[in-house]
Amino acid sequence: EPEVTQTPSHQVTQMGQEVILRCVPISNHLYFYWYRQILGQKVEFLVSFYNNEISEKSEIFDDQFSVERPDGSNFTLKIRSTKLEDSAMYFCASSDLAATSTDTQYFGPGTRLTVL
Amino acid sequence: LAKTTQPISMDSYEGQEVNITCSHNNIATNDYITWYQQFPSQGPRFIIQGYKTKVTNEVASLFIPADRKSSTLSLPRVSLSDTAVYYCLVGDPFSSNTGKLIFGQGTTLQVKP
């Protein structure tokens, strides 16, 4: 069964540093998402991406965040200057053409980001 | 997505059937009900989706009464590996939105031996 992969599994960084979280969505999917989950809290939507542009972003996704699909397979989330409160599990998800169906999002295993 | 209410936690024992009920009083005509499962330190995983009556797959059953103001996820004969957080989401899968999912706190199911 195809799956979404994410690297690294765990990233430790110093406050103020830039981090790039990488995701490889399922190959025939066209819609891509980032979510985050602070320890003990609920999963929060960050951004959706389609046709090489952001479709929607949440209030959390401020100017410090950016997303990119640099090639045909990777989807990245960049945090320009990390803050302590950015520490969380970051999940990438993808879905196929039927992206408006709530059952077609496939999540990756997540990257645990720790900001010191 | 419509607001949902579900119990924060539930306990069960191996081999028992578990029913998790979700309330969604303001469900709209075009809304579907979807359940996701999340194991510790993993991403959410789709379990089941339905519109009305009953839906069954290899993992679970979903019961939706006629008024659709609630739904019940049924897990038959749970095992320790079913310990997870279960999320109920309600929304219109055919609307022209961006597909974002809005997760609540979910129900933490603890299965004991």
Side-chain angles (χ1 to χ4, degrees):
Chain A
E1 181 179 323
E3 58 184 21
V4 176
T5 60
Q6 291 185 243
T7 54
S9 57
H10 193 182
Q11 174 90 47
V12 181
T13 190
Q14 295 291 325
M15 190 170 56
Q17 295 295 304
E18 174 184 284
V19 294
I20 297 176
L21 310 183
R22 292 182 166 80
C23 168
V24 179
I26 294 173
S27 62
N28 63 336
H29 285 184
L30 298 177
Y31 293 79
F32 313 110
Y33 310 85
W34 283 101
Y35 295 81
R36 80 170 186 190
Q37 186 174 32
I38 296 171
L39 186 64
Q41 297 187 24
K42 58 187 180 182
V43 178
E44 301 174 288
F45 168 78
L46 291 179
V47 66
S48 58
F49 190 88
Y50 170 70
N51 199 26
N52 283 320
E53 61 182 25
I54 291 174
S55 308
E56 185 175 0
K57 57 184 180 180
S58 71
E59 291 179 354
I60 302 168
F61 195 89
D62 60 21
D63 292 343
Q64 293 300 312
F65 290 86
S66 62
V67 289
E68 193 178 30
R69 187 151 164 83
D71 52 42
S73 60
N74 291 284
F75 180 50
T76 62
L77 174 69
K78 181 194 292 186
I79 308 175
R80 245 177 290 279
S81 177
T82 50
K83 302 187 282 283
L84 295 176
E85 54 264 37
D86 293 328
S87 294
M89 196 77 159
Y90 288 80
F91 294 108
C92 172
S94 71
S95 61
D96 61 16
L97 268 177
T100 51
S101 295
T102 53
D103 66 341
T104 57
Q105 285 192 34
Y106 296 84
F107 284 76
T111 292
R112 180 169 299 285
L113 176 65
T114 301
V115 182
L116 302 176
Chain B
L1 296 176
K3 180 176 171 57
T4 60
T5 303
Q6 50 183 126
I8 293 176
S9 64
M10 292 182 71
D11 288 340
S12 182
Y13 290 93
E14 281 190 292
Q16 288 188 333
E17 178 183 79
V18 171
N19 296 307
I20 306 174
T21 297
C22 177
S23 297
H24 28 80
N25 291 317
N26 60 340
I27 189 169
T29 303
N30 296 329
D31 286 346
Y32 279 63
I33 300 146
T34 308
W35 286 80
Y36 276 77
Q37 174 191 55
Q38 185 181 24
F39 297 115
S41 299
Q42 294 188 29
R45 183 176 75 105
F46 167 81
I47 303 177
I48 197 167
Q49 183 184 69
Y51 182 80
K52 62 180 179 180
T53 63
K54 177 183 174 183
V55 179
T56 297
N57 62 22
E58 65 278 5
V59 176
S61 294
L62 180 59
F63 297 92
I64 305 167
D67 66 6
R68 303 198 330 118
K69 293 185 183 300
S70 67
S71 58
T72 299
L73 175 73
S74 182
L75 305 172
R77 295 181 298 283
V78 294
S79 63
L80 295 176
S81 61
D82 291 316
T83 293
V85 181
Y86 293 82
Y87 299 98
C88 168
L89 289 80
V90 174
D92 180 357
F94 305 110
S95 67
S96 56
N97 60 30
T98 59
K100 72 178 181 184
L101 298 178
I102 304 297
F103 290 88
Q105 293 292 347
T107 297
T108 300
L109 173 65
Q110 180 71 50
V111 180
K112 302 174 183 177

